[in-house]
mmCIF file of all heavy atoms in Angstrom:
data_model
loop_
_atom_site.group_PDB
_atom_site.id
_atom_site.type_symbol
_atom_site.label_atom_id
_atom_site.label_comp_id
_atom_site.label_asym_id
_atom_site.label_seq_id
_atom_site.Cartn_x
_atom_site.Cartn_y
_atom_site.Cartn_z
ATOM 1 N N ASN A 33 49.768 -40.445 27.961
ATOM 2 C CA ASN A 33 49.863 -41.826 28.492
ATOM 3 C C ASN A 33 50.161 -42.675 27.394
ATOM 4 O O ASN A 33 49.693 -42.356 26.216
ATOM 5 C CB ASN A 33 48.741 -42.157 29.384
ATOM 6 C CG ASN A 33 48.521 -41.359 30.518
ATOM 7 O OD1 ASN A 33 49.481 -41.114 31.374
ATOM 8 N ND2 ASN A 33 47.335 -40.822 30.827
ATOM 9 N N LEU A 34 50.811 -43.789 27.655
ATOM 10 C CA LEU A 34 51.057 -44.821 26.732
ATOM 11 C C LEU A 34 49.785 -45.130 25.872
ATOM 12 O O LEU A 34 48.775 -45.397 26.483
ATOM 13 C CB LEU A 34 51.628 -46.125 27.370
ATOM 14 C CG LEU A 34 52.081 -47.161 26.381
ATOM 15 C CD1 LEU A 34 53.274 -46.732 25.555
ATOM 16 C CD2 LEU A 34 52.515 -48.370 27.187
ATOM 17 N N GLY A 35 49.802 -45.152 24.563
ATOM 18 C CA GLY A 35 48.676 -45.384 23.693
ATOM 19 C C GLY A 35 47.892 -44.166 23.287
ATOM 20 O O GLY A 35 46.957 -44.234 22.444
ATOM 21 N N ASP A 36 47.986 -43.060 24.028
ATOM 22 C CA ASP A 36 47.186 -41.907 23.747
ATOM 23 C C ASP A 36 47.566 -41.414 22.345
ATOM 24 O O ASP A 36 48.724 -41.612 21.952
ATOM 25 C CB ASP A 36 47.518 -40.750 24.691
ATOM 26 C CG ASP A 36 46.907 -40.867 26.022
ATOM 27 O OD1 ASP A 36 46.077 -41.830 26.240
ATOM 28 O OD2 ASP A 36 47.268 -40.061 26.925
ATOM 29 N N THR A 37 46.550 -40.784 21.689
ATOM 30 C CA THR A 37 46.875 -40.168 20.424
ATOM 31 C C THR A 37 46.501 -38.685 20.499
ATOM 32 O O THR A 37 45.608 -38.292 21.275
ATOM 33 C CB THR A 37 46.030 -40.825 19.317
ATOM 34 O OG1 THR A 37 44.758 -40.658 19.507
ATOM 35 C CG2 THR A 37 46.492 -42.192 19.113
ATOM 36 N N LEU A 38 47.032 -37.911 19.649
ATOM 37 C CA LEU A 38 46.725 -36.420 19.599
ATOM 38 C C LEU A 38 46.926 -35.919 18.139
ATOM 39 O O LEU A 38 47.952 -36.352 17.508
ATOM 40 C CB LEU A 38 47.589 -35.766 20.546
ATOM 41 C CG LEU A 38 47.581 -34.122 20.464
ATOM 42 C CD1 LEU A 38 46.238 -33.645 20.923
ATOM 43 C CD2 LEU A 38 48.741 -33.546 21.220
ATOM 44 N N THR A 39 45.998 -35.172 17.614
ATOM 45 C CA THR A 39 46.198 -34.614 16.277
ATOM 46 C C THR A 39 46.626 -33.218 16.418
ATOM 47 O O THR A 39 46.070 -32.367 17.123
ATOM 48 C CB THR A 39 44.984 -34.754 15.393
ATOM 49 O OG1 THR A 39 44.548 -36.149 15.386
ATOM 50 C CG2 THR A 39 45.145 -34.286 14.081
ATOM 51 N N LEU A 40 47.722 -32.863 15.646
ATOM 52 C CA LEU A 40 48.236 -31.523 15.528
ATOM 53 C C LEU A 40 48.023 -30.887 14.187
ATOM 54 O O LEU A 40 48.023 -31.682 13.195
ATOM 55 C CB LEU A 40 49.697 -31.430 15.844
ATOM 56 C CG LEU A 40 50.178 -31.873 17.234
ATOM 57 C CD1 LEU A 40 51.686 -31.819 17.381
ATOM 58 C CD2 LEU A 40 49.559 -31.087 18.330
ATOM 59 N N ARG A 41 47.865 -29.558 14.079
ATOM 60 C CA ARG A 41 47.733 -28.949 12.686
ATOM 61 C C ARG A 41 48.848 -27.872 12.758
ATOM 62 O O ARG A 41 48.760 -26.969 13.737
ATOM 63 C CB ARG A 41 46.346 -28.428 12.478
ATOM 64 C CG ARG A 41 46.329 -27.800 11.200
ATOM 65 C CD ARG A 41 44.800 -27.362 10.920
ATOM 66 N NE ARG A 41 44.692 -26.634 9.661
ATOM 67 C CZ ARG A 41 44.698 -25.262 9.596
ATOM 68 N NH1 ARG A 41 44.732 -24.587 10.750
ATOM 69 N NH2 ARG A 41 44.533 -24.659 8.435
ATOM 70 N N ALA A 42 49.696 -27.798 11.739
ATOM 71 C CA ALA A 42 50.595 -26.635 11.627
ATOM 72 C C ALA A 42 49.842 -25.510 10.780
ATOM 73 O O ALA A 42 49.233 -25.798 9.772
ATOM 74 C CB ALA A 42 51.846 -27.119 10.887
ATOM 75 N N ILE A 43 49.994 -24.335 11.285
ATOM 76 C CA ILE A 43 49.422 -23.156 10.480
ATOM 77 C C ILE A 43 50.602 -22.405 9.981
ATOM 78 O O ILE A 43 51.319 -21.759 10.824
ATOM 79 C CB ILE A 43 48.467 -22.350 11.389
ATOM 80 C CG1 ILE A 43 47.313 -23.243 11.820
ATOM 81 C CG2 ILE A 43 48.106 -21.064 10.535
ATOM 82 C CD1 ILE A 43 46.413 -22.571 12.866
ATOM 83 N N VAL A 44 50.814 -22.430 8.725
ATOM 84 C CA VAL A 44 52.043 -21.706 8.093
ATOM 85 C C VAL A 44 51.436 -20.305 7.724
ATOM 86 O O VAL A 44 50.438 -20.090 7.058
ATOM 87 C CB VAL A 44 52.527 -22.419 6.858
ATOM 88 C CG1 VAL A 44 53.663 -21.649 6.257
ATOM 89 C CG2 VAL A 44 52.815 -23.854 7.209
ATOM 90 N N THR A 45 52.187 -19.306 8.236
ATOM 91 C CA THR A 45 51.787 -17.890 8.005
ATOM 92 C C THR A 45 52.769 -17.151 7.167
ATOM 93 O O THR A 45 53.979 -17.347 7.393
ATOM 94 C CB THR A 45 51.379 -17.163 9.293
ATOM 95 O OG1 THR A 45 52.581 -17.235 10.119
ATOM 96 C CG2 THR A 45 50.185 -17.881 10.001
ATOM 97 N N ALA A 46 52.380 -16.114 6.484
ATOM 98 C CA ALA A 46 53.288 -15.250 5.715
ATOM 99 C C ALA A 46 53.815 -14.281 6.820
ATOM 100 O O ALA A 46 53.278 -14.033 7.812
ATOM 101 C CB ALA A 46 52.574 -14.346 4.716
ATOM 102 N N THR A 47 54.992 -13.639 6.447
ATOM 103 C CA THR A 47 55.602 -12.707 7.384
ATOM 104 C C THR A 47 54.734 -11.472 7.668
ATOM 105 O O THR A 47 54.804 -10.813 8.571
ATOM 106 C CB THR A 47 56.992 -12.232 6.953
ATOM 107 O OG1 THR A 47 56.822 -11.807 5.470
ATOM 108 C CG2 THR A 47 58.073 -13.350 6.997
ATOM 109 N N VAL A 48 53.840 -11.210 6.695
ATOM 110 C CA VAL A 48 52.975 -10.026 6.799
ATOM 111 C C VAL A 48 51.592 -10.493 7.367
ATOM 112 O O VAL A 48 50.545 -9.647 7.353
ATOM 113 C CB VAL A 48 52.659 -9.266 5.482
ATOM 114 C CG1 VAL A 48 54.005 -8.549 5.099
ATOM 115 C CG2 VAL A 48 52.239 -10.138 4.400
ATOM 116 N N GLY A 49 51.552 -11.785 7.856
ATOM 117 C CA GLY A 49 50.300 -12.316 8.280
ATOM 118 C C GLY A 49 49.438 -13.016 7.206
ATOM 119 O O GLY A 49 49.840 -12.996 6.023
ATOM 120 N N GLY A 50 48.474 -13.702 7.569
ATOM 121 C CA GLY A 50 47.684 -14.598 6.704
ATOM 122 C C GLY A 50 48.109 -15.934 6.624
ATOM 123 O O GLY A 50 49.443 -16.142 6.521
ATOM 124 N N GLU A 51 47.372 -16.941 6.515
ATOM 125 C CA GLU A 51 47.538 -18.332 6.426
ATOM 126 C C GLU A 51 47.962 -18.648 4.957
ATOM 127 O O GLU A 51 47.311 -18.331 4.017
ATOM 128 C CB GLU A 51 46.504 -19.194 6.935
ATOM 129 C CG GLU A 51 46.774 -20.633 6.958
ATOM 130 C CD GLU A 51 45.542 -21.471 7.587
ATOM 131 O OE1 GLU A 51 44.731 -20.912 8.192
ATOM 132 O OE2 GLU A 51 45.648 -22.628 7.452
ATOM 133 N N LEU A 52 49.011 -19.491 4.817
ATOM 134 C CA LEU A 52 49.452 -20.029 3.633
ATOM 135 C C LEU A 52 49.102 -21.432 3.491
ATOM 136 O O LEU A 52 49.824 -22.249 4.151
ATOM 137 C CB LEU A 52 51.043 -19.868 3.481
ATOM 138 C CG LEU A 52 51.488 -18.425 3.501
ATOM 139 C CD1 LEU A 52 53.091 -18.421 3.582
ATOM 140 C CD2 LEU A 52 50.980 -17.544 2.462
ATOM 141 N N THR A 53 47.993 -21.698 2.874
ATOM 142 C CA THR A 53 47.468 -23.110 2.874
ATOM 143 C C THR A 53 48.058 -24.116 1.850
ATOM 144 O O THR A 53 47.928 -25.337 1.902
ATOM 145 C CB THR A 53 46.004 -23.119 2.610
ATOM 146 O OG1 THR A 53 45.730 -22.568 1.428
ATOM 147 C CG2 THR A 53 45.273 -22.382 3.792
ATOM 148 N N ASP A 54 48.916 -23.559 1.004
ATOM 149 C CA ASP A 54 49.537 -24.414 -0.115
ATOM 150 C C ASP A 54 50.898 -24.741 0.150
ATOM 151 O O ASP A 54 51.599 -25.248 -0.739
ATOM 152 C CB ASP A 54 49.373 -23.678 -1.414
ATOM 153 C CG ASP A 54 50.189 -22.384 -1.529
ATOM 154 O OD1 ASP A 54 50.469 -21.759 -0.456
ATOM 155 O OD2 ASP A 54 50.411 -21.840 -2.567
ATOM 156 N N ARG A 55 51.417 -24.696 1.393
ATOM 157 C CA ARG A 55 52.784 -24.997 1.678
ATOM 158 C C ARG A 55 52.908 -26.482 2.259
ATOM 159 O O ARG A 55 52.094 -26.898 2.939
ATOM 160 C CB ARG A 55 53.310 -24.103 2.757
ATOM 161 C CG ARG A 55 53.282 -22.661 2.330
ATOM 162 C CD ARG A 55 54.135 -22.361 1.010
ATOM 163 N NE ARG A 55 54.380 -21.028 0.850
ATOM 164 C CZ ARG A 55 53.809 -20.168 0.091
ATOM 165 N NH1 ARG A 55 52.663 -20.564 -0.496
ATOM 166 N NH2 ARG A 55 54.092 -18.900 -0.166
ATOM 167 N N GLU A 56 54.031 -27.139 1.884
ATOM 168 C CA GLU A 56 54.271 -28.372 2.284
ATOM 169 C C GLU A 56 54.820 -28.450 3.759
ATOM 170 O O GLU A 56 55.538 -27.532 4.114
ATOM 171 C CB GLU A 56 55.419 -29.087 1.445
ATOM 172 C CG GLU A 56 55.634 -30.614 1.741
ATOM 173 C CD GLU A 56 56.691 -31.188 0.820
ATOM 174 O OE1 GLU A 56 56.513 -30.890 -0.360
ATOM 175 O OE2 GLU A 56 57.337 -31.974 1.395
ATOM 176 N N VAL A 57 54.363 -29.323 4.540
ATOM 177 C CA VAL A 57 54.720 -29.360 5.922
ATOM 178 C C VAL A 57 55.362 -30.811 6.270
ATOM 179 O O VAL A 57 54.768 -31.793 5.939
ATOM 180 C CB VAL A 57 53.648 -29.054 6.952
ATOM 181 C CG1 VAL A 57 54.114 -29.335 8.333
ATOM 182 C CG2 VAL A 57 53.059 -27.713 6.808
ATOM 183 N N THR A 58 56.559 -30.790 6.880
ATOM 184 C CA THR A 58 57.233 -32.020 7.229
ATOM 185 C C THR A 58 57.194 -32.118 8.829
ATOM 186 O O THR A 58 57.441 -31.085 9.413
ATOM 187 C CB THR A 58 58.668 -32.113 6.770
ATOM 188 O OG1 THR A 58 58.655 -31.922 5.335
ATOM 189 C CG2 THR A 58 59.387 -33.320 7.148
ATOM 190 N N TRP A 59 56.936 -33.245 9.352
ATOM 191 C CA TRP A 59 56.844 -33.394 10.781
ATOM 192 C C TRP A 59 58.138 -34.163 11.257
ATOM 193 O O TRP A 59 58.437 -35.199 10.513
ATOM 194 C CB TRP A 59 55.574 -34.123 11.193
ATOM 195 C CG TRP A 59 54.300 -33.320 10.851
ATOM 196 C CD1 TRP A 59 53.623 -33.252 9.678
ATOM 197 C CD2 TRP A 59 53.774 -32.360 11.755
ATOM 198 N NE1 TRP A 59 52.602 -32.426 9.756
ATOM 199 C CE2 TRP A 59 52.637 -31.823 10.966
ATOM 200 C CE3 TRP A 59 54.029 -31.912 13.000
ATOM 201 C CZ2 TRP A 59 51.932 -30.769 11.641
ATOM 202 C CZ3 TRP A 59 53.220 -30.958 13.557
ATOM 203 C CH2 TRP A 59 52.109 -30.395 12.880
ATOM 204 N N VAL A 60 58.760 -33.697 12.373
ATOM 205 C CA VAL A 60 59.899 -34.342 12.876
ATOM 206 C C VAL A 60 59.600 -34.652 14.325
ATOM 207 O O VAL A 60 59.222 -33.763 15.128
ATOM 208 C CB VAL A 60 61.121 -33.361 12.719
ATOM 209 C CG1 VAL A 60 62.417 -33.958 13.250
ATOM 210 C CG2 VAL A 60 61.220 -32.908 11.279
#
Side-chain angles (χ1 to χ4, degrees):
N33 294 315
L34 188 62
D36 284 355
T37 60
L38 174 69
T39 300
L40 299 179
R41 179 175 174 264
I43 300 172
V44 182
T45 56
T47 52
V48 294
E51 187 173 344
L52 303 172
T53 58
D54 61 342
R55 300 304 197 263
E56 183 176 325
V57 175
T58 302
W59 293 90
V60 179

